[in-house]
Short mmCIF file of all heavy atoms in Angstrom, two decimals:
data_model
loop_
_atom_site.label_atom_id
_atom_site.label_comp_id
_atom_site.label_asym_id
_atom_site.label_seq_id
_atom_site.Cartn_x
_atom_site.Cartn_y
_atom_site.Cartn_z
N ASP A 1 0.82 -1.22 0.00
CA ASP A 1 0.00 0.00 0.00
C ASP A 1 0.85 1.27 0.00
O ASP A 1 0.38 2.33 -0.41
CB ASP A 1 -0.93 0.03 1.23
CG ASP A 1 -2.01 -1.02 1.17
OD1 ASP A 1 -2.37 -1.46 0.06
OD2 ASP A 1 -2.50 -1.42 2.24
N THR A 2 2.08 1.17 0.51
CA THR A 2 2.96 2.34 0.56
C THR A 2 3.72 2.55 -0.74
O THR A 2 4.43 3.55 -0.88
CB THR A 2 3.97 2.22 1.72
OG1 THR A 2 4.93 1.19 1.42
CG2 THR A 2 3.27 1.91 3.03
N CYS A 3 3.60 1.60 -1.68
CA CYS A 3 4.35 1.68 -2.93
C CYS A 3 3.48 2.28 -4.04
O CYS A 3 2.24 2.24 -3.97
CB CYS A 3 4.82 0.30 -3.36
SG CYS A 3 5.96 -0.48 -2.20
N ARG A 4 4.12 2.79 -5.06
CA ARG A 4 3.41 3.26 -6.24
C ARG A 4 2.63 2.08 -6.81
O ARG A 4 3.13 0.95 -6.82
CB ARG A 4 4.42 3.80 -7.25
CG ARG A 4 3.82 4.73 -8.30
CD ARG A 4 4.91 5.47 -9.03
NE ARG A 4 5.85 4.57 -9.68
CZ ARG A 4 6.92 4.97 -10.36
NH1 ARG A 4 7.21 6.25 -10.45
NH2 ARG A 4 7.73 4.09 -10.92
N PRO A 5 1.39 2.29 -7.28
CA PRO A 5 0.54 1.17 -7.70
C PRO A 5 1.23 0.19 -8.66
O PRO A 5 1.08 -1.02 -8.52
CB PRO A 5 -0.65 1.86 -8.35
CG PRO A 5 -0.76 3.16 -7.65
CD PRO A 5 0.67 3.58 -7.35
N GLU A 6 2.00 0.73 -9.61
CA GLU A 6 2.67 -0.17 -10.57
C GLU A 6 3.80 -0.96 -9.94
O GLU A 6 4.32 -1.90 -10.55
CB GLU A 6 3.18 0.62 -11.78
CG GLU A 6 4.04 1.82 -11.45
CD GLU A 6 3.23 3.10 -11.37
OE1 GLU A 6 2.09 3.06 -10.85
OE2 GLU A 6 3.74 4.14 -11.83
N GLU A 7 4.20 -0.59 -8.70
CA GLU A 7 5.26 -1.31 -8.00
C GLU A 7 4.70 -2.33 -7.00
O GLU A 7 5.45 -3.14 -6.46
CB GLU A 7 6.15 -0.32 -7.23
CG GLU A 7 6.83 0.73 -8.09
CD GLU A 7 8.04 0.19 -8.82
OE1 GLU A 7 8.58 -0.83 -8.39
OE2 GLU A 7 8.43 0.79 -9.85
N ALA A 8 3.39 -2.28 -6.74
CA ALA A 8 2.80 -3.11 -5.70
C ALA A 8 2.96 -4.60 -6.01
O ALA A 8 3.21 -5.41 -5.12
CB ALA A 8 1.33 -2.77 -5.51
N GLY A 9 2.82 -4.97 -7.27
CA GLY A 9 2.98 -6.38 -7.65
C GLY A 9 4.37 -6.89 -7.37
O GLY A 9 4.55 -8.03 -6.90
N LEU A 10 5.38 -6.04 -7.63
CA LEU A 10 6.76 -6.41 -7.33
C LEU A 10 6.94 -6.64 -5.83
O LEU A 10 7.60 -7.60 -5.41
CB LEU A 10 7.72 -5.32 -7.80
CG LEU A 10 9.18 -5.45 -7.35
CD1 LEU A 10 9.80 -6.70 -7.95
CD2 LEU A 10 9.99 -4.21 -7.76
N ALA A 11 6.33 -5.78 -5.02
CA ALA A 11 6.43 -5.93 -3.56
C ALA A 11 5.85 -7.26 -3.12
O ALA A 11 6.43 -7.97 -2.29
CB ALA A 11 5.72 -4.77 -2.87
N ASP A 12 4.70 -7.64 -3.67
CA ASP A 12 4.07 -8.92 -3.30
C ASP A 12 4.97 -10.09 -3.70
O ASP A 12 5.11 -11.07 -2.95
CB ASP A 12 2.71 -9.05 -3.97
CG ASP A 12 1.67 -8.10 -3.38
OD1 ASP A 12 1.85 -7.71 -2.21
OD2 ASP A 12 0.70 -7.75 -4.09
N LYS A 13 5.61 -10.00 -4.87
CA LYS A 13 6.52 -11.06 -5.31
C LYS A 13 7.72 -11.17 -4.37
O LYS A 13 8.21 -12.26 -4.08
CB LYS A 13 6.99 -10.80 -6.73
CG LYS A 13 5.92 -11.01 -7.80
CD LYS A 13 6.47 -10.73 -9.19
CE LYS A 13 5.38 -10.93 -10.24
NZ LYS A 13 5.88 -10.62 -11.61
N GLN A 14 8.20 -10.01 -3.89
CA GLN A 14 9.34 -10.02 -2.98
C GLN A 14 8.99 -10.69 -1.66
O GLN A 14 9.81 -11.39 -1.06
CB GLN A 14 9.84 -8.60 -2.75
CG GLN A 14 10.46 -7.94 -3.97
CD GLN A 14 11.68 -8.68 -4.49
OE1 GLN A 14 12.40 -9.31 -3.73
NE2 GLN A 14 11.91 -8.59 -5.79
N PHE A 15 7.76 -10.52 -1.18
CA PHE A 15 7.36 -11.18 0.06
C PHE A 15 7.27 -12.69 -0.14
O PHE A 15 7.57 -13.45 0.78
CB PHE A 15 6.04 -10.60 0.58
CG PHE A 15 6.23 -9.44 1.50
CD1 PHE A 15 6.38 -8.16 1.00
CD2 PHE A 15 6.28 -9.63 2.87
CE1 PHE A 15 6.59 -7.08 1.84
CE2 PHE A 15 6.48 -8.56 3.74
CZ PHE A 15 6.64 -7.28 3.21
N THR A 16 6.89 -13.12 -1.33
CA THR A 16 6.92 -14.55 -1.63
C THR A 16 8.36 -15.07 -1.57
O THR A 16 8.63 -16.13 -1.00
CB THR A 16 6.34 -14.82 -3.03
OG1 THR A 16 4.99 -14.36 -3.07
CG2 THR A 16 6.39 -16.30 -3.37
N LEU A 17 9.30 -14.30 -2.12
CA LEU A 17 10.72 -14.67 -2.08
C LEU A 17 11.23 -14.72 -0.64
O LEU A 17 11.98 -15.63 -0.28
CB LEU A 17 11.53 -13.67 -2.90
CG LEU A 17 13.05 -13.89 -2.96
CD1 LEU A 17 13.36 -15.20 -3.65
CD2 LEU A 17 13.73 -12.73 -3.68
N ILE A 18 10.81 -13.75 0.17
CA ILE A 18 11.25 -13.72 1.56
C ILE A 18 10.77 -14.96 2.30
O ILE A 18 11.51 -15.57 3.08
CB ILE A 18 10.72 -12.44 2.26
CG1 ILE A 18 11.39 -11.20 1.66
CG2 ILE A 18 10.98 -12.50 3.76
CD1 ILE A 18 10.69 -9.90 2.02
N ARG A 19 9.52 -15.37 2.04
CA ARG A 19 9.00 -16.58 2.69
C ARG A 19 9.82 -17.81 2.29
O ARG A 19 10.01 -18.73 3.08
CB ARG A 19 7.53 -16.80 2.32
CG ARG A 19 6.58 -15.82 3.00
CD ARG A 19 5.14 -16.30 2.89
NE ARG A 19 4.67 -16.34 1.52
CZ ARG A 19 4.08 -15.33 0.89
NH1 ARG A 19 3.91 -14.18 1.52
NH2 ARG A 19 3.68 -15.45 -0.36
N GLU A 20 10.30 -17.83 1.05
CA GLU A 20 11.02 -19.00 0.54
C GLU A 20 12.49 -19.01 0.95
O GLU A 20 13.05 -20.07 1.25
CB GLU A 20 10.92 -19.04 -0.99
CG GLU A 20 9.50 -19.29 -1.50
CD GLU A 20 9.39 -19.15 -3.00
OE1 GLU A 20 10.40 -18.73 -3.62
OE2 GLU A 20 8.33 -19.47 -3.55
N THR A 21 13.14 -17.84 0.97
CA THR A 21 14.59 -17.79 1.19
C THR A 21 15.00 -17.15 2.51
O THR A 21 16.13 -17.30 2.95
CB THR A 21 15.28 -17.01 0.05
OG1 THR A 21 14.86 -15.64 0.09
CG2 THR A 21 14.93 -17.61 -1.30
N GLY A 22 14.09 -16.39 3.12
CA GLY A 22 14.41 -15.74 4.38
C GLY A 22 14.90 -14.31 4.24
O GLY A 22 15.07 -13.62 5.25
N TYR A 23 15.14 -13.84 3.01
CA TYR A 23 15.62 -12.47 2.84
C TYR A 23 15.36 -12.01 1.41
O TYR A 23 15.07 -12.81 0.51
CB TYR A 23 17.12 -12.35 3.13
CG TYR A 23 17.98 -13.12 2.16
CD1 TYR A 23 18.50 -12.50 1.03
CD2 TYR A 23 18.26 -14.48 2.33
CE1 TYR A 23 19.27 -13.20 0.11
CE2 TYR A 23 19.02 -15.18 1.44
CZ TYR A 23 19.53 -14.55 0.33
OH TYR A 23 20.28 -15.25 -0.57
N ALA A 24 15.49 -10.70 1.19
CA ALA A 24 15.37 -10.13 -0.16
C ALA A 24 15.94 -8.72 -0.15
O ALA A 24 15.88 -8.02 0.87
CB ALA A 24 13.91 -10.10 -0.61
N THR A 25 16.52 -8.32 -1.27
CA THR A 25 17.01 -6.96 -1.49
C THR A 25 16.48 -6.49 -2.83
O THR A 25 16.63 -7.19 -3.84
CB THR A 25 18.54 -6.90 -1.49
OG1 THR A 25 19.03 -7.37 -0.22
CG2 THR A 25 19.04 -5.48 -1.70
N PHE A 26 15.83 -5.32 -2.83
CA PHE A 26 15.26 -4.83 -4.08
C PHE A 26 15.05 -3.33 -4.00
O PHE A 26 15.20 -2.72 -2.93
CB PHE A 26 13.93 -5.55 -4.39
CG PHE A 26 12.86 -5.38 -3.34
CD1 PHE A 26 11.86 -4.42 -3.48
CD2 PHE A 26 12.84 -6.20 -2.21
CE1 PHE A 26 10.87 -4.26 -2.51
CE2 PHE A 26 11.85 -6.05 -1.24
CZ PHE A 26 10.87 -5.09 -1.40
N GLU A 27 14.74 -2.73 -5.14
CA GLU A 27 14.41 -1.31 -5.19
C GLU A 27 12.95 -1.15 -5.58
O GLU A 27 12.41 -1.96 -6.34
CB GLU A 27 15.31 -0.58 -6.19
CG GLU A 27 16.77 -0.54 -5.77
CD GLU A 27 17.64 0.24 -6.75
OE1 GLU A 27 17.09 0.77 -7.76
OE2 GLU A 27 18.86 0.31 -6.54
N THR A 28 12.32 -0.13 -5.03
CA THR A 28 10.93 0.15 -5.36
C THR A 28 10.70 1.66 -5.26
O THR A 28 11.61 2.41 -4.91
CB THR A 28 9.97 -0.61 -4.42
OG1 THR A 28 8.63 -0.48 -4.90
CG2 THR A 28 10.05 -0.09 -3.00
N VAL A 29 9.50 2.08 -5.59
CA VAL A 29 9.15 3.50 -5.51
C VAL A 29 7.98 3.64 -4.53
O VAL A 29 6.92 3.03 -4.72
CB VAL A 29 8.76 4.08 -6.88
CG1 VAL A 29 8.36 5.55 -6.72
CG2 VAL A 29 9.92 3.94 -7.86
N GLN A 30 8.22 4.40 -3.49
CA GLN A 30 7.21 4.63 -2.47
C GLN A 30 6.43 5.90 -2.80
O GLN A 30 7.01 6.88 -3.27
CB GLN A 30 7.90 4.79 -1.11
CG GLN A 30 6.99 4.93 0.09
CD GLN A 30 7.82 5.11 1.35
OE1 GLN A 30 8.41 6.15 1.57
NE2 GLN A 30 7.88 4.06 2.16
N ILE A 31 5.13 5.86 -2.57
CA ILE A 31 4.32 7.06 -2.77
C ILE A 31 3.79 7.51 -1.42
O ILE A 31 3.18 6.73 -0.68
CB ILE A 31 3.17 6.81 -3.78
CG1 ILE A 31 2.41 8.11 -4.03
CG2 ILE A 31 2.25 5.70 -3.33
CD1 ILE A 31 1.50 8.05 -5.24
#
């Protein structure tokens, strides 16, 4: 919800990665 709408899908994918690997590093745009 804090990300730009077009970035929200990427954020959800990153949380899937975090659940699988325990960590993630990425860039996004916050609104």
Side-chain angles (χ1 to χ4, degrees):
D1 291 335
T2 70
C3 298
R4 199 166 58 182
E6 52 267 38
E7 301 282 339
L10 170 64
D12 290 335
K13 289 180 181 178
Q14 292 299 330
F15 270 84
T16 300
L17 179 64
I18 293 165
R19 287 195 296 270
E20 294 173 353
T21 65
Y23 65 93
T25 300
F26 59 98
E27 293 182 1
T28 189
V29 178
Q30 185 181 72
I31 184 166

